[in-house]
Amino acid sequence: MESTESPSATATLLVSCADQSGLVAAISGFLTESSGNILDLEQHVDSSEKAFFMRVEWELEGFNIARDQIVTSLKPLLARFDMQWSLHFSDTRPQVALFVTRDNHCLYDILSRHQSGDLRMDVPLIISNHRTLEPVAQQFGIPFYHIPITSETKPAQEHIQIALLRENNIDTLVLARYMQILSEDFVSQFPNQIINIHHSFLPAFPGARPYHSAHKRGVKIIGATSHYVTSDLDEGPIITQDVIRVSHRETVGDFIRKGKDLEKIVLTRALWRHLQRRVLVYNNRTVVFA
Amino acid sequence: MESTESPSATATLLVSCADQSGLVAAISGFLTESSGNILDLEQHVDSSEKAFFMRVEWELEGFNIARDQIVTSLKPLLARFDMQWSLHFSDTRPQVALFVTRDNHCLYDILSRHQSGDLRMDVPLIISNHRTLEPVAQQFGIPFYHIPITSETKPAQEHIQIALLRENNIDTLVLARYMQILSEDFVSQFPNQIINIHHSFLPAFPGARPYHSAHKRGVKIIGATSHYVTSDLDEGPIITQDVIRVSHRETVGDFIRKGKDLEKIVLTRALWRHLQRRVLVYNNRTVVFA
Amino acid sequence: MESTESPSATATLLVSCADQSGLVAAISGFLTESSGNILDLEQHVDSSEKAFFMRVEWELEGFNIARDQIVTSLKPLLARFDMQWSLHFSDTRPQVALFVTRDNHCLYDILSRHQSGDLRMDVPLIISNHRTLEPVAQQFGIPFYHIPITSETKPAQEHIQIALLRENNIDTLVLARYMQILSEDFVSQFPNQIINIHHSFLPAFPGARPYHSAHKRGVKIIGATSHYVTSDLDEGPIITQDVIRVSHRETVGDFIRKGKDLEKIVLTRALWRHLQRRVLVYNNRTVVFA
Amino acid sequence: MESTESPSATATLLVSCADQSGLVAAISGFLTESSGNILDLEQHVDSSEKAFFMRVEWELEGFNIARDQIVTSLKPLLARFDMQWSLHFSDTRPQVALFVTRDNHCLYDILSRHQSGDLRMDVPLIISNHRTLEPVAQQFGIPFYHIPITSETKPAQEHIQIALLRENNIDTLVLARYMQILSEDFVSQFPNQIINIHHSFLPAFPGARPYHSAHKRGVKIIGATSHYVTSDLDEGPIITQDVIRVSHRETVGDFIRKGKDLEKIVLTRALWRHLQRRVLVYNNRTVVFA
C-alpha cells in the first residue's frame, strides 16, 4: 500500500540484524499490542550471511504511541536483537539535492515526475559545474548553484557544496548525469544517501565512455545502472538496472540517444524506491523491497 | 529461501482472510512460541478489497509441534480470523499429470527441468489425445495414456482421465499445449489445480490461432500467458506472462517458432511457483509471492 | 546511417508496389547511374501479400540530379512498376504539432528530446483542450492554443484546429495523451500523419481506463502502444509497443505511475522513426525499417 | 522470407568489402539480368569503418544460371569490388556437431527444436568429456562420443575430435555448455564456425562461475551471451544476448536455475541465425541480419 493510495500518515520502520528466531513475531507483536495496523510488511533472510532485514509500515491513526515516543518504546526491542534501524514518517518529505552537468534528460525526468506528484520529496536546490541547465532550473523555479570544479578548486568547492547541503537539510543527493567524481571525504559524509546513474549494465564498462566501449565490443544489449555512491568509482551497491537491445546498425550516437531513455528511467525508479524507504544496504549489496 | 538451498524439511502455511489488525503478529507469534524458525514470510494486503494473504515457511527441525498436530494446534487461530488455509511439507512431493497433444516443446522443457532436479514433483503419467509424443514419454520412462477425444466420446473419455488422475493421487494438472477444452465438470473437480499455457498475452487474442490474429493485427510484441483453468476459456487467473518483440519481417511461421520459447518458459515458471506453494487465487486474480 | 552521423544532406525515397522481379536493381541502378552514394537501403517483401517495400537513403553531395529534378527523373521508373512513393530531404525539417490535455510526461519527454537535438523537427505549436500545460509550453517558448472541446463545439473547434495546422504547414500530429477523440473527418485529412499513444498493449484494453481494466483482469504485464490514428478508435496501424512487469502488490495508481515511463518512451520512439521516414503503412499494418 | 514459408530452393550470397558506390546496384543487377527473383536483401554500411555487408537470397527456380555455374558467373563482379563472399543453398543442410558436458538444458533445447523441424541442419554426432548425457543422445538416436579430457591428454584427444569432425563434414560446432576450453590450434581450424554460450552478459563476468560473481556483486540483472569462439576466452564476436531480472531474494542456486532458460534460448537463437546464414563477422563484431 503506498502513500498515493493511503492519504493518512504512516510510519515505516527499517531494521536489520543477525538472523535469529522470533524477529517477525517480536516486531509485529509490538505493533499489534499498541493497535498499530500493519499496511505492509516485508522481510528477507539472507541465509548464507545469516542476516535479517525487515520493512514494516503501519498507520499512525489509531496507533497508541505518540510519534515522538515511538523510538523510546522500541528501544528495548531494538537493543535485545542488536538491530540497526531507521524510522520514517510518510508526511515528512525527504529533502533532495540534484547534481547535474550538461545533459538534460535525467533532470527533466525527475522534475516532471516531481511536478506531477509522483515523487514525494522537496528539491531545495540544483547544483551544477556548468551553467547549461540553469534555464531548466528556472523553468521549475528551483534555486540553481553554479559551482565549477577544477582539480585545484575541488576541495574548496566541495566545502561550499556541503555547506549548501547542510543548510538545506538535504538527506538525499541525486547525481543526475553529474560529470564530476566526488571526493572520498565528500562521499563518506553521505553514506547510502548519494544515488548515481551509470550508463552501462555494471560491472561491464565502468568508468568513462561506456557507450563507446560497448560499441567497440559489439554487444547486443546496452544498459544503465543506478547505485549508491561509495569511494570506489562505479562499485557501489546497485539499486536497479535495465537494458535495451541494440544492433550492428546502430552507431555510438544511437547508443547515446537510446541510452538516455534507460538512464532517466532507471535513475528515477531508484530514487522512487529510495524515497519510499524500500532500500537497505549490506555488504555492498542492496535489499530492495517490492 | 528455497528448498534447493535448505535441505532440511520445512512446512509452508498459506492463509487468506479479511484484512484486520494483528494477523501477522498472531501467526508469527504462534510459530515463535513453538520454536519455529521462520525462513520466509511474505504478506500482502489488498486494501481496495480489504483482503489479507500470507505465506510463511518455517523449519520443521526444532519445531515443538509434531507434523500431524500442526493443524490441530493452528485451528483456534485459523477460526478466530476466519482464515482459508493450506499446509504443505517440503518433503511431500506434488503429483503432477501432464496433458499434451502434438507439440513437444513444453513437454521437453518440463521433463528436462524435472530430470535435472529443478522441479520438485513426481510425474506419474502423461495423457494425450494423440500418439505423437508417446516416444518422448518413453524417453523419460513415464507412463503414457493415449485417450483420443471426439465430441461424442468426450464425456466418457474425461471419466477415464479423471479416474486415472484419482488413482495416481494427482494434485496438479499441466496442460502443456493440450489442444482440447476440458469440460466444465472436469474443471470444477480441480479448482486452481490445472495450469494452462495460452500463446498470447491475454486478454489479447483469446481462443484459437492467436499467432495468426496477432500477425494480422500487426502487433510488435507477442506473448504467452500461464493461468489456472476455469470454466471460462482463457479467462482464468493469470499466474505469469512474458513477451518477445516481433517485426514486419516475421511471418506467422516465425511467430509460432519464436513463441515456442515463450510458451515453454512461461509455463515452466508458473509450474515452479505453483509447486513452491507461492500462488494464491482470489477474485479471478493471483497473488504470486516472490 | 543516420543524420546525426552524416551532417551532409541526404535524400530518402520510400516506395511500395506489387512484388515483382527487378525492383531493387531498377532503383539502385538508377541511383548508381547518377552517382548517388547509397547510405542505407532496406527492402521488405511480404510474400503472402505479394507486396514490396523499400527505403533508400543516399547522399545529395555528388549526386548528378538536382533536387528539384529528382521526381521528374524518377517518374518513368515509378510508373513502370506502379509504385507509391514519397521523397524526403534530410535538411527539410518536419513540422510537428503536439496535442495534449493534462498529463505532462509525454510532452516533457518530446520537448526535452527536441531541446537536446535528438528529434529532427520543428514544433510550431501545441494545442490543448485544457490550460493545464500552458506553462510547460511557455517554458519551451512554443505557442500554446487553448481550444476547449464539448460535444456541441467539437465540429467548430476542429475547424479552428485544422486551420491552425494548415497555416503552420504541419505534416505530423502527435497526440501526447490528448484526451479527445478526433472526428472521422479530421482524421481523414491527415492519413498516416497522426501518431497516438495508447496506454495498453493493444489489442488488449482498447478504449477508456485501460490500467483499471488491466488491474481488474490481474495481468502480470502492462504495456503501451503507439499507432497511427484511423477512424476506428485504437485500431490504427501499430508503430511500436513496449511492456513492463507488474505484480499483485501494485495498485491501479502504481500501474498509472509505471505506465507513464512506457507511454512517453514508446511515443517518442515512434515519433523518431516516423521523422526518420522509416515507417510505411499497408493493410492497417506497418513496415518499420530499423 | 524464410525457408519454412518458401519450400522451393533458394541461394544466399553473403558479401563484404570496402564501402564504395554501386555495390547494391551491381549485385541486384546481376541477379535481375539472370531472372533471379530476390526474396530478401539486407545491406549494412559501417560508415566509421567504411565497410559494406550484404546478404541476398533469391529463388533458384527460374534463375538462368545453373547452381554450379553461379560462382564462375559471379567471379568478375566479386573481383571488381574485392569482395569476401560465401554462397549457400537452402537445400544443403549444415552439418552440426554438439559438444556437451553434464548440463542437459541446452542439449534438450537444440535437439527438441531440431526434432520439430525448427532448425534446418543435421546433427551427425555429439561429443562429450563425460558420459552423463549419453542417454539423451540415445533418446534422439544420435551417435555419442565420450572423449574425456585431462591437461595431459588434451592435445591427443583434440586430434581425435577434429578427425571425427572432418569425417562427418562438420561445418558448425556448438558448445552447448561444454566445460572445456578448446586449444588455440583447434579454434584456428574452425574460424567463425564454433558457437559458444557463456552464462553472463559479456563483457561482465567472463571466465568461471559468473553466477557466483554476479550474486556477490549484487546485480539486478543476469544474462547470457552467445558468441563465436576465438583464441581469447569469452572475447569472441557476440551473436546474441539476453537478460532476466533477479532480486536480493534469489540465491546463487536461483541464478543458476533461472539462467538455464536464458542460456538455452540465447544459444538456440544464435544457432538459428547462423544456420540461416545471417551472421557476418568483422573486427571481432557481428552483423546479424534480421
Side-chain angles (χ1 to χ4, degrees):
Chain A
M1 210 158 314
E2 284 143 28
S3 55
T4 53
E5 297 294 307
S6 57
S8 73
T10 65
T12 297
L13 177 69
L14 297 175
V15 299
S16 60
C17 61
D19 191 25
Q20 50 205 294
S21 231
L23 292 163
V24 176
I27 291 174
S28 60
F30 169 84
L31 294 174
T32 299
E33 281 160 29
S34 300
S35 301
N37 186 33
I38 295 174
L39 295 173
D40 195 14
L41 179 150
E42 284 193 88
Q43 61 98 53
H44 172 61
V45 175
D46 183 326
S47 57
S48 63
E49 303 282 338
K50 311 277 184 226
F52 173 85
F53 307 87
M54 197 169 83
R55 178 190 189 276
V56 57
E57 183 175 0
W58 70 96
E59 290 180 303
L60 287 170
E61 195 181 319
F63 190 51
N64 288 340
I65 305 174
R67 275 187 200 216
D68 54 4
Q69 294 302 310
I70 295 176
V71 171
T72 309
S73 306
L74 270 169
K75 271 280 163 66
L77 193 156
L78 298 167
R80 173 151 60 105
F81 294 111
D82 196 18
M83 284 173 166
Q84 289 192 284
W85 60 276
S86 65
L87 180 67
H88 310 273
F89 298 107
S90 65
D91 49 11
T92 305
R93 295 169 75 81
Q95 302 298 304
V96 179
L98 305 180
F99 283 68
V100 298
T101 297
R102 281 199 185 94
D103 281 335
N104 72 19
H105 54 290
C106 289
L107 183 61
Y108 269 121
D109 201 70
I110 292 171
L111 294 180
S112 62
R113 280 286 191 182
H114 183 226
Q115 188 181 84
S116 54
D118 290 332
L119 293 170
R120 197 181 52 84
M121 64 177 186
D122 293 328
V123 183
L125 77 168
I126 296 171
I127 290 174
S128 181
N129 55 332
H130 283 273
R131 290 211 174 274
T132 315
L133 298 178
E134 189 163 14
V136 181
Q138 288 168 345
Q139 281 180 358
F140 290 86
I142 298 173
F144 180 91
Y145 295 87
H146 176 223
I147 306 180
I149 307 266
T150 66
S151 47
E152 292 80 42
T153 64
K154 189 166 176 174
Q157 297 294 66
E158 284 198 345
H159 271 105
I160 293 171
Q161 291 177 337
I162 292 170
L164 273 169
L165 299 173
R166 296 303 181 199
E167 276 165 36
N168 285 280
N169 297 310
I170 296 300
D171 51 67
T172 299
L173 290 71
V174 178
L175 309 187
R177 303 290 279 127
Y178 180 61
M179 306 309 277
Q180 284 288 328
I181 297 171
L182 303 177
S183 73
E184 199 167 330
D185 177 58
F186 188 121
V187 170
S188 69
Q189 296 194 36
F190 299 95
N192 302 328
Q193 293 176 280
I194 312 173
I195 301 174
N196 186 42
I197 181 71
H198 182 76
H199 40 314
S200 79
F201 48 88
L202 292 173
F205 310 121
R209 294 166 68 89
Y211 292 129
H212 290 77
S213 304
H215 194 265
K216 187 159 187 297
R217 178 62 186 91
V219 296
K220 300 303 183 186
I221 280 174
I222 56 172
T225 304
S226 185
H227 63 93
Y228 287 118
V229 174
T230 62
S231 54
D232 294 318
L233 186 67
D234 299 333
E235 294 283 343
I238 295 171
I239 306 170
T240 187
Q241 301 185 285
D242 209 345
V243 298
I244 193 169
R245 291 188 179 284
V246 292
S247 83
H248 63 269
R249 294 180 61 90
E250 288 164 290
T251 62
V252 174
D254 293 320
F255 281 23
I256 292 169
R257 178 178 48 79
K258 292 178 82 168
K260 286 180 184 174
D261 282 345
L262 285 177
E263 293 161 23
K264 68 189 180 193
I265 279 169
V266 167
L267 178 59
T268 304
R269 261 185 217 155
L271 176 58
W272 188 85
R273 294 211 173 274
H274 173 88
L275 296 174
Q276 293 275 323
R277 310 300 185 188
R278 292 180 182 276
V279 190
L280 290 113
V281 174
Y282 75 114
N283 289 356
N284 206 44
R285 302 167 57 194
T286 59
V287 170
V288 182
F289 285 124
Chain B
M1 212 155 315
E2 283 143 29
S3 55
T4 53
E5 297 294 307
S6 57
S8 74
T10 64
T12 297
L13 177 68
L14 297 175
V15 299
S16 59
C17 60
D19 191 26
Q20 52 205 292
S21 232
L23 292 163
V24 176
I27 291 174
S28 60
F30 169 85
L31 294 174
T32 298
E33 281 160 30
S34 301
S35 301
N37 186 34
I38 294 174
L39 295 173
D40 195 15
L41 179 150
E42 285 193 87
Q43 61 97 51
H44 172 61
V45 175
D46 183 327
S47 57
S48 62
E49 303 281 337
K50 312 277 184 224
F52 173 85
F53 307 88
M54 196 169 83
R55 180 189 187 276
V56 57
E57 183 175 0
W58 70 96
E59 289 181 302
L60 287 170
E61 197 181 316
F63 190 51
N64 288 340
I65 304 174
R67 274 188 201 216
D68 54 4
Q69 295 301 310
I70 295 175
V71 171
T72 309
S73 305
L74 270 169
K75 271 279 163 66
L77 193 155
L78 298 168
R80 173 151 60 106
F81 294 111
D82 196 17
M83 284 172 165
Q84 287 192 285
W85 61 275
S86 64
L87 181 68
H88 310 274
F89 298 106
S90 66
D91 49 9
T92 304
R93 296 170 74 81
Q95 303 298 303
V96 178
L98 306 179
F99 283 66
V100 298
T101 297
R102 281 198 185 94
D103 281 335
N104 73 18
H105 54 290
C106 289
L107 183 60
Y108 268 121
D109 200 71
I110 292 171
L111 293 179
S112 63
R113 280 284 191 184
H114 183 224
Q115 189 181 84
S116 53
D118 290 331
L119 293 169
R120 197 181 52 84
M121 64 178 186
D122 293 328
V123 182
L125 77 167
I126 294 170
I127 289 173
S128 181
N129 56 333
H130 282 273
R131 289 210 174 275
T132 315
L133 297 177
E134 189 162 16
V136 181
Q138 288 168 345
Q139 283 180 356
F140 289 86
I142 298 173
F144 180 91
Y145 295 88
H146 176 223
I147 306 180
I149 307 267
T150 64
S151 45
E152 292 81 41
T153 64
K154 189 165 176 175
Q157 296 294 66
E158 283 198 344
H159 271 105
I160 292 171
Q161 291 177 337
I162 292 169
L164 273 169
L165 299 173
R166 296 302 181 200
E167 275 165 37
N168 285 278
N169 297 310
I170 296 301
D171 50 67
T172 299
L173 289 71
V174 178
L175 309 188
R177 303 289 279 126
Y178 180 61
M179 306 307 279
Q180 284 288 328
I181 297 170
L182 302 177
S183 74
E184 198 168 330
D185 177 57
F186 188 121
V187 170
S188 69
Q189 297 195 36
F190 299 95
N192 302 330
Q193 293 175 281
I194 312 174
I195 301 173
N196 186 42
I197 180 72
H198 182 75
H199 39 314
S200 80
F201 49 88
L202 289 173
F205 310 121
R209 296 166 67 88
Y211 291 130
H212 291 77
S213 305
H215 195 265
K216 187 159 188 297
R217 178 63 184 90
V219 295
K220 301 302 184 185
I221 281 174
I222 56 171
T225 303
S226 186
H227 63 93
Y228 287 118
V229 175
T230 61
S231 54
D232 294 319
L233 185 66
D234 299 332
E235 294 282 344
I238 294 171
I239 306 169
T240 187
Q241 301 185 285
D242 209 345
V243 298
I244 194 169
R245 291 187 180 284
V246 291
S247 82
H248 63 270
R249 294 181 60 88
E250 288 164 293
T251 62
V252 174
D254 293 320
F255 281 22
I256 292 170
R257 178 178 49 78
K258 292 178 82 168
K260 285 179 184 176
D261 282 346
L262 285 178
E263 294 162 22
K264 68 189 180 193
I265 279 170
V266 168
L267 178 58
T268 304
R269 260 186 217 156
L271 176 58
W272 187 85
R273 293 212 174 272
H274 173 88
L275 295 174
Q276 293 274 325
R277 311 301 185 188
R278 292 180 183 275
V279 190
L280 289 113
V281 174
Y282 76 114
N283 288 358
N284 205 45
R285 304 168 57 195
T286 59
V287 170
V288 182
F289 285 124
Chain C
M1 210 156 317
E2 284 144 28
S3 54
T4 54
E5 298 293 307
S6 57
S8 72
T10 64
T12 297
L13 177 68
L14 296 174
V15 298
S16 59
C17 61
D19 191 26
Q20 51 204 293
S21 232
L23 293 163
V24 176
I27 292 174
S28 59
F30 169 85
L31 295 174
T32 298
E33 282 160 29
S34 302
S35 301
N37 186 32
I38 294 174
L39 295 173
D40 195 16
L41 177 150
E42 284 193 88
Q43 61 97 52
H44 171 62
V45 176
D46 183 328
S47 58
S48 62
E49 303 281 337
K50 311 275 182 228
F52 173 85
F53 307 88
M54 197 169 81
R55 177 189 188 278
V56 58
E57 182 175 0
W58 69 97
E59 290 181 303
L60 287 169
E61 195 180 318
F63 190 51
N64 288 340
I65 305 175
R67 274 188 203 216
D68 54 4
Q69 295 302 310
I70 295 176
V71 171
T72 309
S73 306
L74 269 169
K75 270 279 164 66
L77 193 156
L78 298 168
R80 172 152 59 106
F81 295 111
D82 195 17
M83 285 173 166
Q84 288 192 282
W85 60 275
S86 64
L87 180 68
H88 310 273
F89 299 107
S90 66
D91 49 9
T92 305
R93 298 170 74 81
Q95 302 299 304
V96 179
L98 306 180
F99 283 66
V100 297
T101 297
R102 282 200 184 94
D103 281 333
N104 71 18
H105 54 288
C106 289
L107 183 59
Y108 268 122
D109 201 71
I110 292 170
L111 293 180
S112 61
R113 282 284 191 185
H114 183 225
Q115 188 180 85
S116 53
D118 290 330
L119 293 169
R120 197 181 51 84
M121 62 178 187
D122 292 328
V123 182
L125 77 166
I126 296 171
I127 289 174
S128 180
N129 55 333
H130 282 272
R131 290 210 174 275
T132 315
L133 297 177
E134 188 161 16
V136 181
Q138 288 167 345
Q139 282 180 357
F140 289 86
I142 297 174
F144 179 91
Y145 295 87
H146 175 222
I147 306 179
I149 308 267
T150 65
S151 45
E152 290 80 43
T153 64
K154 190 166 176 173
Q157 297 293 66
E158 285 197 344
H159 270 105
I160 293 172
Q161 291 177 337
I162 291 170
L164 274 169
L165 300 173
R166 297 302 181 201
E167 278 165 35
N168 286 279
N169 296 311
I170 296 301
D171 50 68
T172 300
L173 290 71
V174 178
L175 310 188
R177 303 290 279 127
Y178 180 59
M179 306 309 277
Q180 285 289 328
I181 297 171
L182 303 177
S183 73
E184 200 167 327
D185 177 57
F186 188 121
V187 171
S188 69
Q189 297 195 36
F190 299 95
N192 302 329
Q193 293 175 282
I194 312 173
I195 301 175
N196 186 41
I197 180 71
H198 182 75
H199 40 314
S200 79
F201 48 88
L202 291 173
F205 310 121
R209 293 165 69 86
Y211 292 130
H212 290 77
S213 304
H215 195 264
K216 188 158 186 296
R217 178 62 185 92
V219 296
K220 301 302 184 185
I221 281 174
I222 56 172
T225 303
S226 186
H227 63 94
Y228 288 117
V229 175
T230 62
S231 55
D232 294 318
L233 185 66
D234 299 332
E235 295 282 341
I238 295 171
I239 306 170
T240 185
Q241 301 186 285
D242 208 345
V243 298
I244 193 169
R245 290 188 180 284
V246 291
S247 83
H248 62 271
R249 294 181 61 89
E250 287 163 292
T251 62
V252 173
D254 293 320
F255 281 24
I256 292 169
R257 178 178 49 79
K258 292 177 81 168
K260 286 179 184 174
D261 282 345
L262 286 177
E263 293 161 24
K264 68 190 180 192
I265 280 169
V266 167
L267 178 59
T268 305
R269 262 185 217 156
L271 176 58
W272 187 84
R273 294 212 173 273
H274 173 88
L275 296 174
Q276 293 275 324
R277 312 301 185 187
R278 293 181 182 276
V279 190
L280 289 114
V281 174
Y282 76 113
N283 288 358
N284 205 46
R285 302 168 57 194
T286 59
V287 170
V288 182
F289 286 123
Chain D
M1 211 155 317
E2 283 143 29
S3 55
T4 53
E5 297 294 308
S6 57
S8 72
T10 65
T12 297
L13 177 70
L14 296 175
V15 299
S16 60
C17 61
D19 191 26
Q20 50 205 292
S21 233
L23 292 163
V24 176
I27 292 175
S28 60
F30 169 85
L31 294 175
T32 298
E33 283 159 29
S34 301
S35 301
N37 186 34
I38 294 174
L39 295 174
D40 195 16
L41 178 149
E42 284 193 88
Q43 62 97 52
H44 171 62
V45 175
D46 183 327
S47 57
S48 61
E49 304 280 337
K50 312 273 184 230
F52 173 84
F53 308 87
M54 197 171 81
R55 179 189 187 277
V56 58
E57 184 176 359
W58 69 96
E59 289 182 303
L60 287 170
E61 196 181 317
F63 190 52
N64 288 340
I65 305 174
R67 274 188 202 216
D68 54 4
Q69 295 302 311
I70 296 176
V71 171
T72 309
S73 306
L74 271 169
K75 270 280 163 66
L77 193 155
L78 298 168
R80 171 151 61 105
F81 295 110
D82 196 17
M83 284 174 167
Q84 287 192 283
W85 61 275
S86 65
L87 181 68
H88 310 274
F89 298 107
S90 65
D91 49 9
T92 305
R93 296 169 75 81
Q95 303 297 304
V96 179
L98 307 179
F99 283 66
V100 297
T101 297
R102 282 199 183 95
D103 281 333
N104 71 20
H105 54 288
C106 289
L107 183 59
Y108 269 121
D109 201 70
I110 292 170
L111 293 180
S112 61
R113 280 284 190 183
H114 183 224
Q115 190 181 82
S116 53
D118 290 331
L119 294 169
R120 197 181 52 85
M121 64 178 185
D122 293 328
V123 183
L125 78 166
I126 295 170
I127 289 174
S128 181
N129 56 333
H130 283 273
R131 290 210 174 275
T132 315
L133 297 177
E134 188 162 16
V136 181
Q138 289 168 345
Q139 284 179 358
F140 289 86
I142 298 173
F144 179 92
Y145 295 88
H146 176 222
I147 305 180
I149 308 267
T150 66
S151 46
E152 291 81 42
T153 64
K154 189 166 176 174
Q157 297 293 67
E158 284 198 343
H159 270 106
I160 293 171
Q161 291 177 338
I162 292 169
L164 274 169
L165 299 173
R166 297 301 182 201
E167 277 165 36
N168 286 278
N169 298 311
I170 296 301
D171 51 67
T172 300
L173 289 71
V174 178
L175 309 188
R177 302 290 278 126
Y178 180 60
M179 306 308 278
Q180 285 288 327
I181 297 170
L182 303 177
S183 74
E184 198 166 329
D185 178 58
F186 188 121
V187 170
S188 68
Q189 297 195 35
F190 300 94
N192 301 330
Q193 293 175 281
I194 312 174
I195 302 174
N196 186 41
I197 180 72
H198 182 75
H199 40 314
S200 79
F201 48 88
L202 290 172
F205 310 121
R209 294 165 69 86
Y211 291 130
H212 290 77
S213 304
H215 194 265
K216 187 158 187 297
R217 178 62 185 90
V219 297
K220 302 302 184 186
I221 281 174
I222 56 172
T225 303
S226 187
H227 62 95
Y228 287 118
V229 175
T230 62
S231 55
D232 293 319
L233 185 66
D234 300 333
E235 295 282 343
I238 294 171
I239 307 169
T240 186
Q241 301 185 286
D242 208 346
V243 299
I244 192 169
R245 292 186 179 283
V246 291
S247 82
H248 64 270
R249 295 180 60 89
E250 287 164 292
T251 62
V252 173
D254 293 321
F255 281 22
I256 292 170
R257 178 178 50 78
K258 291 177 83 168
K260 286 179 184 174
D261 282 345
L262 286 177
E263 294 161 23
K264 67 190 180 192
I265 280 169
V266 167
L267 178 58
T268 305
R269 262 186 217 155
L271 176 57
W272 188 84
R273 294 214 174 270
H274 173 89
L275 296 174
Q276 293 274 324
R277 311 302 184 188
R278 292 180 182 275
V279 190
L280 289 113
V281 174
Y282 76 114
N283 288 357
N284 205 45
R285 303 167 58 194
T286 59
V287 170
V288 182
F289 285 125

